[in-house]
Amino acid sequence: DQQARVQADLANSAADLRVARDTNAALEAELCAARDVHSADLRAAREEISTLQAALSAARDAHTAVDRDLRAARDGHAALEAEARMQQQALAATMVAQQREIDRLATELAAAQRTQAPSDADKTFAGSAFLQHYTRAAMAPSTADVHAAVRDLVAAFCTHVGVSPAKGEAFAAALEGEAAVFLDSNLSDVDRLAQQLWSSDRLLACAPIPRELSFILNEAIRMDRGNEAM
């Protein structure tokens, strides 16, 4: 009986051992599975960390590029501002120089006007250039000389008012032809020729309105261009 009990205990111990071994194997299998899952999770975490590090590096590079472009833009803006200031200073200096030149020319012009031409208030017939020329001049010896003087007078007037010389010459020629018809056989009569020319109503086309020879002569006297009036 005792031997049977020992054998039974041994059998029970063997069964317990098998159960313990099976349990240990199951635990080892679970441990291996857990290790595999942990390894996979660790690899995924590492890959995610690597991706995040790459994205962070790209962001840093982009930030560096933007910062570099911003510095370049600031430098360019500063250069443009400096160039604009230099141009403004140069323009201001040019304007000052031009204004000084204008002032100088205006001063010289005023001095020349005071020296060369008296003011309207100071002008008198007694001091006119016309009277000086008139007192020294003699009567035209022939009608040809009268027509020559008229041509010179008309040419000078055309120059002053901006009329073409051709128009002036045509006007003088028309006056001469008109006088020839009027005087006929009395072309040697200088007095009558002068009277005819003075009273002619033929007009020279000029601005602001057409003018007769009498106006042209009076204008030369009025402007004290005595050499032209003579």
Side-chain angles (χ1 to χ4, degrees):
D1 291 338
Q2 186 176 3
Q3 185 177 359
R5 286 195 298 272
V6 170
Q7 290 178 347
D9 290 338
L10 289 173
N12 290 331
S13 297
D16 292 338
L17 181 60
R18 287 194 296 273
V19 170
R21 286 175 178 172
D22 292 340
T23 301
N24 185 50
L27 290 174
E28 286 182 353
E30 290 179 358
L31 179 60
C32 288
R35 286 175 179 172
D36 293 340
V37 171
H38 177 71
S39 297
D41 292 342
L42 182 60
R43 285 193 299 273
R46 286 174 178 172
E47 291 175 356
E48 184 175 0
I49 291 172
S50 178
T51 301
L52 291 175
Q53 287 177 340
L56 179 61
S57 178
R60 287 174 178 170
D61 293 340
H63 177 73
T64 301
V66 170
D67 186 61
R68 183 173 57 251
D69 292 342
L70 180 60
R71 285 196 301 271
R74 287 174 178 170
D75 294 341
H77 181 70
L80 289 175
E81 285 186 340
E83 183 178 358
R85 284 194 297 271
M86 291 177 61
Q87 291 179 350
Q88 288 178 346
Q89 292 172 357
L91 179 60
T94 301
M95 292 177 64
V96 169
Q98 290 177 345
Q99 186 60 49
R100 288 176 179 171
E101 181 65 13
I102 291 172
D103 293 341
R104 184 186 67 79
L105 292 175
T107 301
E108 291 181 357
L109 178 60
Q113 289 175 341
R114 288 193 301 269
T115 302
Q116 297 177 3
S119 64
D120 291 340
D122 296 333
K123 287 182 179 179
T124 62
F125 183 74
S128 66
F130 170 78
L131 182 59
Q132 297 176 19
H133 283 81
Y134 181 80
T135 55
R136 294 195 302 267
M139 179 180 293
S142 67
T143 56
D145 293 314
V146 175
H147 287 304
V150 169
R151 286 194 295 271
D152 292 341
L153 173 64
V154 172
F157 179 79
C158 289
T159 300
H160 290 306
V161 299
V163 175
S164 68
K167 285 186 178 181
E169 292 172 2
F171 176 68
L175 288 174
E176 186 172 351
E178 184 181 85
V181 173
F182 177 77
L183 296 177
D184 194 10
S185 62
N186 295 318
L187 288 178
S188 61
D189 190 342
V190 174
D191 291 335
R192 291 190 64 190
L193 175 59
Q195 181 182 5
Q196 167 60 23
L197 293 171
W198 173 264
S199 59
S200 173
D201 60 358
R202 185 172 294 276
L203 298 173
L204 170 65
C206 61
I209 58 175
R211 298 298 188 181
E212 300 172 350
L213 180 64
S214 58
F215 175 89
I216 295 174
L217 178 57
N218 285 334
E219 179 71 2
I221 298 173
R222 185 164 44 249
M223 299 305 294
D224 203 19
R225 296 193 289 265
N227 57 330
E228 296 175 12
M230 296 309 298

mmCIF file of all heavy atoms in Angstrom, residues 2-46:
data_model
loop_
_atom_site.group_PDB
_atom_site.id
_atom_site.type_symbol
_atom_site.label_atom_id
_atom_site.label_comp_id
_atom_site.label_asym_id
_atom_site.label_seq_id
_atom_site.Cartn_x
_atom_site.Cartn_y
_atom_site.Cartn_z
ATOM 1 N N GLN A 2 1.860 1.194 0.824
ATOM 2 C CA GLN A 2 2.751 2.380 0.876
ATOM 3 C C GLN A 2 3.418 2.614 -0.454
ATOM 4 O O GLN A 2 3.566 3.758 -0.909
ATOM 5 C CB GLN A 2 3.809 2.168 1.975
ATOM 6 C CG GLN A 2 4.650 3.402 2.181
ATOM 7 C CD GLN A 2 5.649 3.244 3.325
ATOM 8 O OE1 GLN A 2 5.719 2.113 3.945
ATOM 9 N NE2 GLN A 2 6.381 4.272 3.636
ATOM 10 N N GLN A 3 3.814 1.552 -1.077
ATOM 11 C CA GLN A 3 4.451 1.687 -2.388
ATOM 12 C C GLN A 3 3.487 2.253 -3.395
ATOM 13 O O GLN A 3 3.832 3.065 -4.240
ATOM 14 C CB GLN A 3 4.960 0.299 -2.835
ATOM 15 C CG GLN A 3 5.755 0.378 -4.132
ATOM 16 C CD GLN A 3 6.313 -0.968 -4.544
ATOM 17 O OE1 GLN A 3 6.117 -1.998 -3.822
ATOM 18 N NE2 GLN A 3 7.034 -0.985 -5.647
ATOM 19 N N ALA A 4 2.247 1.819 -3.279
ATOM 20 C CA ALA A 4 1.223 2.334 -4.208
ATOM 21 C C ALA A 4 1.024 3.816 -3.985
ATOM 22 O O ALA A 4 0.860 4.594 -4.942
ATOM 23 C CB ALA A 4 -0.083 1.559 -4.038
ATOM 24 N N ARG A 5 1.041 4.196 -2.715
ATOM 25 C CA ARG A 5 0.866 5.622 -2.435
ATOM 26 C C ARG A 5 2.044 6.421 -2.980
ATOM 27 O O ARG A 5 1.863 7.516 -3.531
ATOM 28 C CB ARG A 5 0.729 5.855 -0.918
ATOM 29 C CG ARG A 5 -0.621 5.429 -0.380
ATOM 30 C CD ARG A 5 -0.835 6.012 1.014
ATOM 31 N NE ARG A 5 0.167 5.528 1.949
ATOM 32 C CZ ARG A 5 0.047 4.426 2.645
ATOM 33 N NH1 ARG A 5 -1.000 3.641 2.528
ATOM 34 N NH2 ARG A 5 1.013 4.083 3.475
ATOM 35 N N VAL A 6 3.244 5.896 -2.870
ATOM 36 C CA VAL A 6 4.431 6.594 -3.368
ATOM 37 C C VAL A 6 4.336 6.753 -4.867
ATOM 38 O O VAL A 6 4.632 7.823 -5.458
ATOM 39 C CB VAL A 6 5.708 5.858 -2.967
ATOM 40 C CG1 VAL A 6 6.921 6.418 -3.676
ATOM 41 C CG2 VAL A 6 5.905 5.921 -1.455
ATOM 42 N N GLN A 7 3.934 5.647 -5.497
ATOM 43 C CA GLN A 7 3.794 5.714 -6.953
ATOM 44 C C GLN A 7 2.740 6.734 -7.367
ATOM 45 O O GLN A 7 2.878 7.447 -8.358
ATOM 46 C CB GLN A 7 3.472 4.319 -7.508
ATOM 47 C CG GLN A 7 4.657 3.347 -7.404
ATOM 48 C CD GLN A 7 4.293 1.963 -7.926
ATOM 49 O OE1 GLN A 7 3.107 1.623 -8.149
ATOM 50 N NE2 GLN A 7 5.328 1.094 -8.063
ATOM 51 N N ALA A 8 1.671 6.752 -6.591
ATOM 52 C CA ALA A 8 0.600 7.726 -6.905
ATOM 53 C C ALA A 8 1.139 9.149 -6.729
ATOM 54 O O ALA A 8 0.847 10.057 -7.541
ATOM 55 C CB ALA A 8 -0.616 7.490 -6.019
ATOM 56 N N ASP A 9 1.914 9.361 -5.668
ATOM 57 C CA ASP A 9 2.478 10.707 -5.454
ATOM 58 C C ASP A 9 3.425 11.099 -6.591
ATOM 59 O O ASP A 9 3.448 12.243 -7.042
ATOM 60 C CB ASP A 9 3.225 10.745 -4.115
ATOM 61 C CG ASP A 9 2.267 10.662 -2.912
ATOM 62 O OD1 ASP A 9 1.075 11.011 -3.119
ATOM 63 O OD2 ASP A 9 2.744 10.336 -1.836
ATOM 64 N N LEU A 10 4.200 10.073 -7.031
ATOM 65 C CA LEU A 10 5.113 10.347 -8.133
ATOM 66 C C LEU A 10 4.356 10.715 -9.394
ATOM 67 O O LEU A 10 4.733 11.610 -10.163
ATOM 68 C CB LEU A 10 6.024 9.136 -8.386
ATOM 69 C CG LEU A 10 7.094 8.850 -7.319
ATOM 70 C CD1 LEU A 10 7.804 7.515 -7.608
ATOM 71 C CD2 LEU A 10 8.077 9.999 -7.274
ATOM 72 N N ALA A 11 3.267 9.960 -9.603
ATOM 73 C CA ALA A 11 2.455 10.253 -10.800
ATOM 74 C C ALA A 11 1.875 11.655 -10.709
ATOM 75 O O ALA A 11 1.828 12.407 -11.699
ATOM 76 C CB ALA A 11 1.348 9.194 -10.944
ATOM 77 N N ASN A 12 1.412 12.014 -9.542
ATOM 78 C CA ASN A 12 0.850 13.361 -9.346
ATOM 79 C C ASN A 12 1.943 14.426 -9.559
ATOM 80 O O ASN A 12 1.710 15.494 -10.164
ATOM 81 C CB ASN A 12 0.250 13.515 -7.959
ATOM 82 C CG ASN A 12 -1.049 12.671 -7.823
ATOM 83 O OD1 ASN A 12 -1.742 12.440 -8.826
ATOM 84 N ND2 ASN A 12 -1.342 12.247 -6.606
ATOM 85 N N SER A 13 3.131 14.140 -9.032
ATOM 86 C CA SER A 13 4.227 15.109 -9.183
ATOM 87 C C SER A 13 4.599 15.259 -10.644
ATOM 88 O O SER A 13 4.881 16.368 -11.149
ATOM 89 C CB SER A 13 5.451 14.652 -8.379
ATOM 90 O OG SER A 13 5.151 14.620 -6.994
ATOM 91 N N ALA A 14 4.595 14.130 -11.362
ATOM 92 C CA ALA A 14 4.910 14.198 -12.804
ATOM 93 C C ALA A 14 3.868 15.027 -13.546
ATOM 94 O O ALA A 14 4.172 15.824 -14.443
ATOM 95 C CB ALA A 14 5.005 12.783 -13.377
ATOM 96 N N ALA A 15 2.602 14.809 -13.156
ATOM 97 C CA ALA A 15 1.510 15.594 -13.807
ATOM 98 C C ALA A 15 1.683 17.077 -13.500
ATOM 99 O O ALA A 15 1.536 17.953 -14.388
ATOM 100 C CB ALA A 15 0.146 15.093 -13.336
ATOM 101 N N ASP A 16 2.005 17.380 -12.243
ATOM 102 C CA ASP A 16 2.216 18.794 -11.877
ATOM 103 C C ASP A 16 3.390 19.386 -12.649
ATOM 104 O O ASP A 16 3.368 20.567 -13.070
ATOM 105 C CB ASP A 16 2.464 18.904 -10.369
ATOM 106 C CG ASP A 16 1.207 18.562 -9.537
ATOM 107 O OD1 ASP A 16 0.089 18.661 -10.138
ATOM 108 O OD2 ASP A 16 1.356 18.260 -8.353
ATOM 109 N N LEU A 17 4.424 18.565 -12.827
ATOM 110 C CA LEU A 17 5.592 19.034 -13.557
ATOM 111 C C LEU A 17 5.229 19.358 -14.998
ATOM 112 O O LEU A 17 5.650 20.365 -15.565
ATOM 113 C CB LEU A 17 6.718 17.991 -13.470
ATOM 114 C CG LEU A 17 8.019 18.359 -14.175
ATOM 115 C CD1 LEU A 17 8.608 19.648 -13.587
ATOM 116 C CD2 LEU A 17 9.037 17.195 -14.052
ATOM 117 N N ARG A 18 4.415 18.433 -15.605
ATOM 118 C CA ARG A 18 3.998 18.671 -16.995
ATOM 119 C C ARG A 18 3.171 19.953 -17.089
ATOM 120 O O ARG A 18 3.326 20.752 -18.016
ATOM 121 C CB ARG A 18 3.206 17.476 -17.519
ATOM 122 C CG ARG A 18 4.076 16.251 -17.809
ATOM 123 C CD ARG A 18 3.280 15.240 -18.630
ATOM 124 N NE ARG A 18 2.148 14.740 -17.862
ATOM 125 C CZ ARG A 18 2.204 13.691 -17.020
ATOM 126 N NH1 ARG A 18 3.330 13.036 -16.821
ATOM 127 N NH2 ARG A 18 1.117 13.280 -16.369
ATOM 128 N N VAL A 19 2.298 20.139 -16.129
ATOM 129 C CA VAL A 19 1.469 21.359 -16.130
ATOM 130 C C VAL A 19 2.358 22.596 -15.989
ATOM 131 O O VAL A 19 2.165 23.612 -16.676
ATOM 132 C CB VAL A 19 0.431 21.303 -14.997
ATOM 133 C CG1 VAL A 19 -0.252 22.659 -14.842
ATOM 134 C CG2 VAL A 19 -0.578 20.196 -15.267
ATOM 135 N N ALA A 20 3.351 22.451 -15.094
ATOM 136 C CA ALA A 20 4.250 23.592 -14.883
ATOM 137 C C ALA A 20 5.032 23.888 -16.152
ATOM 138 O O ALA A 20 5.234 25.063 -16.555
ATOM 139 C CB ALA A 20 5.181 23.310 -13.717
ATOM 140 N N ARG A 21 5.476 22.792 -16.844
ATOM 141 C CA ARG A 21 6.238 22.986 -18.079
ATOM 142 C C ARG A 21 5.355 23.650 -19.158
ATOM 143 O O ARG A 21 5.788 24.540 -19.881
ATOM 144 C CB ARG A 21 6.775 21.652 -18.583
ATOM 145 C CG ARG A 21 7.942 21.143 -17.743
ATOM 146 C CD ARG A 21 8.356 19.767 -18.212
ATOM 147 N NE ARG A 21 9.508 19.265 -17.448
ATOM 148 C CZ ARG A 21 9.990 18.035 -17.542
ATOM 149 N NH1 ARG A 21 9.443 17.156 -18.403
ATOM 150 N NH2 ARG A 21 11.021 17.665 -16.816
ATOM 151 N N ASP A 22 4.094 23.151 -19.268
ATOM 152 C CA ASP A 22 3.179 23.718 -20.258
ATOM 153 C C ASP A 22 2.913 25.212 -19.968
ATOM 154 O O ASP A 22 2.869 26.057 -20.883
ATOM 155 C CB ASP A 22 1.862 22.945 -20.263
ATOM 156 C CG ASP A 22 2.040 21.510 -20.791
ATOM 157 O OD1 ASP A 22 3.067 21.290 -21.485
ATOM 158 O OD2 ASP A 22 1.157 20.682 -20.529
ATOM 159 N N THR A 23 2.737 25.468 -18.666
ATOM 160 C CA THR A 23 2.489 26.860 -18.265
ATOM 161 C C THR A 23 3.688 27.739 -18.597
ATOM 162 O O THR A 23 3.565 28.866 -19.113
ATOM 163 C CB THR A 23 2.185 26.945 -16.770
ATOM 164 O OG1 THR A 23 1.021 26.138 -16.485
ATOM 165 C CG2 THR A 23 1.920 28.379 -16.354
ATOM 166 N N ASN A 24 4.900 27.193 -18.297
ATOM 167 C CA ASN A 24 6.127 27.938 -18.582
ATOM 168 C C ASN A 24 6.278 28.182 -20.087
ATOM 169 O O ASN A 24 6.680 29.266 -20.542
ATOM 170 C CB ASN A 24 7.326 27.159 -18.026
ATOM 171 C CG ASN A 24 8.631 27.938 -18.181
ATOM 172 O OD1 ASN A 24 8.694 29.112 -17.813
ATOM 173 N ND2 ASN A 24 9.646 27.292 -18.731
ATOM 174 N N ALA A 25 5.918 27.142 -20.897
ATOM 175 C CA ALA A 25 6.011 27.295 -22.360
ATOM 176 C C ALA A 25 5.034 28.362 -22.854
ATOM 177 O O ALA A 25 5.356 29.177 -23.731
ATOM 178 C CB ALA A 25 5.737 25.950 -23.038
ATOM 179 N N ALA A 26 3.845 28.346 -22.266
ATOM 180 C CA ALA A 26 2.844 29.346 -22.669
ATOM 181 C C ALA A 26 3.328 30.751 -22.297
ATOM 182 O O ALA A 26 3.181 31.715 -23.080
ATOM 183 C CB ALA A 26 1.495 29.053 -22.019
ATOM 184 N N LEU A 27 3.901 30.853 -21.109
ATOM 185 C CA LEU A 27 4.418 32.166 -20.689
ATOM 186 C C LEU A 27 5.551 32.638 -21.598
ATOM 187 O O LEU A 27 5.647 33.825 -21.946
ATOM 188 C CB LEU A 27 4.898 32.081 -19.237
ATOM 189 C CG LEU A 27 3.772 31.922 -18.183
ATOM 190 C CD1 LEU A 27 4.387 31.711 -16.805
ATOM 191 C CD2 LEU A 27 2.873 33.144 -18.187
ATOM 192 N N GLU A 28 6.437 31.662 -21.963
ATOM 193 C CA GLU A 28 7.533 32.022 -22.863
ATOM 194 C C GLU A 28 6.995 32.484 -24.223
ATOM 195 O O GLU A 28 7.511 33.423 -24.834
ATOM 196 C CB GLU A 28 8.488 30.830 -23.018
ATOM 197 C CG GLU A 28 9.355 30.589 -21.789
ATOM 198 C CD GLU A 28 10.326 29.442 -22.000
ATOM 199 O OE1 GLU A 28 10.201 28.777 -23.060
ATOM 200 O OE2 GLU A 28 11.210 29.258 -21.154
ATOM 201 N N ALA A 29 5.935 31.783 -24.704
ATOM 202 C CA ALA A 29 5.333 32.173 -25.996
ATOM 203 C C ALA A 29 4.735 33.572 -25.899
ATOM 204 O O ALA A 29 4.896 34.419 -26.806
ATOM 205 C CB ALA A 29 4.266 31.156 -26.411
ATOM 206 N N GLU A 30 4.037 33.833 -24.798
ATOM 207 C CA GLU A 30 3.463 35.170 -24.610
ATOM 208 C C GLU A 30 4.562 36.221 -24.528
ATOM 209 O O GLU A 30 4.440 37.330 -25.052
ATOM 210 C CB GLU A 30 2.602 35.204 -23.352
ATOM 211 C CG GLU A 30 1.317 34.398 -23.482
ATOM 212 C CD GLU A 30 0.503 34.429 -22.195
ATOM 213 O OE1 GLU A 30 0.996 35.067 -21.214
ATOM 214 O OE2 GLU A 30 -0.575 33.843 -22.160
ATOM 215 N N LEU A 31 5.673 35.842 -23.835
ATOM 216 C CA LEU A 31 6.790 36.778 -23.699
ATOM 217 C C LEU A 31 7.401 37.087 -25.066
ATOM 218 O O LEU A 31 7.719 38.248 -25.384
ATOM 219 C CB LEU A 31 7.832 36.207 -22.752
ATOM 220 C CG LEU A 31 9.071 37.064 -22.518
ATOM 221 C CD1 LEU A 31 8.673 38.407 -21.922
ATOM 222 C CD2 LEU A 31 10.065 36.337 -21.592
ATOM 223 N N CYS A 32 7.552 36.051 -25.889
ATOM 224 C CA CYS A 32 8.108 36.263 -27.236
ATOM 225 C C CYS A 32 7.192 37.150 -28.075
ATOM 226 O O CYS A 32 7.650 38.046 -28.803
ATOM 227 C CB CYS A 32 8.306 34.890 -27.929
ATOM 228 S SG CYS A 32 9.670 33.934 -27.253
ATOM 229 N N ALA A 33 5.868 36.872 -27.961
ATOM 230 C CA ALA A 33 4.905 37.698 -28.715
ATOM 231 C C ALA A 33 4.977 39.149 -28.258
ATOM 232 O O ALA A 33 4.940 40.101 -29.059
ATOM 233 C CB ALA A 33 3.494 37.140 -28.549
ATOM 234 N N ALA A 34 5.068 39.319 -26.909
ATOM 235 C CA ALA A 34 5.159 40.675 -26.368
ATOM 236 C C ALA A 34 6.432 41.358 -26.843
ATOM 237 O O ALA A 34 6.444 42.554 -27.174
ATOM 238 C CB ALA A 34 5.106 40.634 -24.850
ATOM 239 N N ARG A 35 7.537 40.565 -26.881
ATOM 240 C CA ARG A 35 8.791 41.131 -27.373
ATOM 241 C C ARG A 35 8.671 41.560 -28.837
ATOM 242 O O ARG A 35 9.167 42.610 -29.242
ATOM 243 C CB ARG A 35 9.921 40.116 -27.208
ATOM 244 C CG ARG A 35 10.380 39.948 -25.766
ATOM 245 C CD ARG A 35 11.409 38.848 -25.658
ATOM 246 N NE ARG A 35 11.874 38.699 -24.274
ATOM 247 C CZ ARG A 35 12.666 37.703 -23.869
ATOM 248 N NH1 ARG A 35 13.068 36.775 -24.751
ATOM 249 N NH2 ARG A 35 13.041 37.640 -22.604
ATOM 250 N N ASP A 36 8.022 40.703 -29.657
ATOM 251 C CA ASP A 36 7.846 41.054 -31.079
ATOM 252 C C ASP A 36 7.024 42.332 -31.239
ATOM 253 O O ASP A 36 7.355 43.218 -32.047
ATOM 254 C CB ASP A 36 7.167 39.883 -31.815
ATOM 255 C CG ASP A 36 8.063 38.647 -31.896
ATOM 256 O OD1 ASP A 36 9.300 38.821 -31.740
ATOM 257 O OD2 ASP A 36 7.538 37.561 -32.127
ATOM 258 N N VAL A 37 5.916 42.426 -30.474
ATOM 259 C CA VAL A 37 5.075 43.642 -30.537
ATOM 260 C C VAL A 37 5.859 44.861 -30.083
ATOM 261 O O VAL A 37 5.802 45.941 -30.700
ATOM 262 C CB VAL A 37 3.806 43.458 -29.684
ATOM 263 C CG1 VAL A 37 3.043 44.773 -29.573
ATOM 264 C CG2 VAL A 37 2.921 42.372 -30.282
ATOM 265 N N HIS A 38 6.600 44.680 -29.027
ATOM 266 C CA HIS A 38 7.401 45.803 -28.507
ATOM 267 C C HIS A 38 8.449 46.235 -29.540
ATOM 268 O O HIS A 38 8.666 47.440 -29.753
ATOM 269 C CB HIS A 38 8.071 45.377 -27.200
ATOM 270 C CG HIS A 38 8.973 46.431 -26.639
ATOM 271 N ND1 HIS A 38 8.502 47.604 -26.090
ATOM 272 C CD2 HIS A 38 10.352 46.483 -26.561
ATOM 273 C CE1 HIS A 38 9.524 48.335 -25.693
ATOM 274 N NE2 HIS A 38 10.665 47.667 -25.961
ATOM 275 N N SER A 39 9.080 45.241 -30.188
ATOM 276 C CA SER A 39 10.084 45.575 -31.207
ATOM 277 C C SER A 39 9.452 46.326 -32.375
ATOM 278 O O SER A 39 10.010 47.298 -32.899
ATOM 279 C CB SER A 39 10.758 44.286 -31.708
ATOM 280 O OG SER A 39 11.464 43.640 -30.661
ATOM 281 N N ALA A 40 8.281 45.874 -32.811
ATOM 282 C CA ALA A 40 7.585 46.549 -33.920
ATOM 283 C C ALA A 40 7.212 47.977 -33.526
ATOM 284 O O ALA A 40 7.394 48.928 -34.298
ATOM 285 C CB ALA A 40 6.343 45.748 -34.325
ATOM 286 N N ASP A 41 6.674 48.121 -32.323
ATOM 287 C CA ASP A 41 6.313 49.467 -31.863
ATOM 288 C C ASP A 41 7.547 50.358 -31.765
ATOM 289 O O ASP A 41 7.498 51.553 -32.096
ATOM 290 C CB ASP A 41 5.618 49.385 -30.493
ATOM 291 C CG ASP A 41 4.244 48.731 -30.576
ATOM 292 O OD1 ASP A 41 3.702 48.665 -31.721
ATOM 293 O OD2 ASP A 41 3.720 48.303 -29.539
ATOM 294 N N LEU A 42 8.653 49.763 -31.298
ATOM 295 C CA LEU A 42 9.876 50.543 -31.159
ATOM 296 C C LEU A 42 10.389 50.999 -32.532
ATOM 297 O O LEU A 42 10.813 52.140 -32.698
ATOM 298 C CB LEU A 42 10.930 49.695 -30.435
ATOM 299 C CG LEU A 42 12.271 50.393 -30.159
ATOM 300 C CD1 LEU A 42 12.060 51.609 -29.284
ATOM 301 C CD2 LEU A 42 13.252 49.418 -29.493
ATOM 302 N N ARG A 43 10.331 50.053 -33.528
ATOM 303 C CA ARG A 43 10.760 50.421 -34.874
ATOM 304 C C ARG A 43 9.870 51.531 -35.452
ATOM 305 O O ARG A 43 10.346 52.491 -36.068
ATOM 306 C CB ARG A 43 10.746 49.191 -35.784
ATOM 307 C CG ARG A 43 11.896 48.235 -35.555
ATOM 308 C CD ARG A 43 12.001 47.234 -36.690
ATOM 309 N NE ARG A 43 10.797 46.426 -36.808
ATOM 310 C CZ ARG A 43 10.557 45.298 -36.149
ATOM 311 N NH1 ARG A 43 11.481 44.833 -35.307
ATOM 312 N NH2 ARG A 43 9.450 44.627 -36.324
ATOM 313 N N ALA A 44 8.565 51.401 -35.244
ATOM 314 C CA ALA A 44 7.632 52.422 -35.744
ATOM 315 C C ALA A 44 7.902 53.774 -35.079
ATOM 316 O O ALA A 44 7.882 54.834 -35.737
ATOM 317 C CB ALA A 44 6.192 51.984 -35.495
ATOM 318 N N ALA A 45 8.176 53.709 -33.764
ATOM 319 C CA ALA A 45 8.466 54.950 -33.054
ATOM 320 C C ALA A 45 9.756 55.581 -33.571
ATOM 321 O O ALA A 45 9.846 56.812 -33.759
ATOM 322 C CB ALA A 45 8.566 54.671 -31.554
ATOM 323 N N ARG A 46 10.758 54.751 -33.825
ATOM 324 C CA ARG A 46 12.016 55.249 -34.337
ATOM 325 C C ARG A 46 11.832 55.879 -35.740
ATOM 326 O O ARG A 46 12.396 56.940 -36.046
ATOM 327 C CB ARG A 46 13.055 54.128 -34.383
ATOM 328 C CG ARG A 46 13.591 53.742 -32.999
ATOM 329 C CD ARG A 46 14.508 52.543 -33.095
ATOM 330 N NE ARG A 46 15.058 52.191 -31.779
ATOM 331 C CZ ARG A 46 15.762 51.104 -31.536
ATOM 332 N NH1 ARG A 46 16.009 50.238 -32.531
ATOM 333 N NH2 ARG A 46 16.227 50.866 -30.332
#
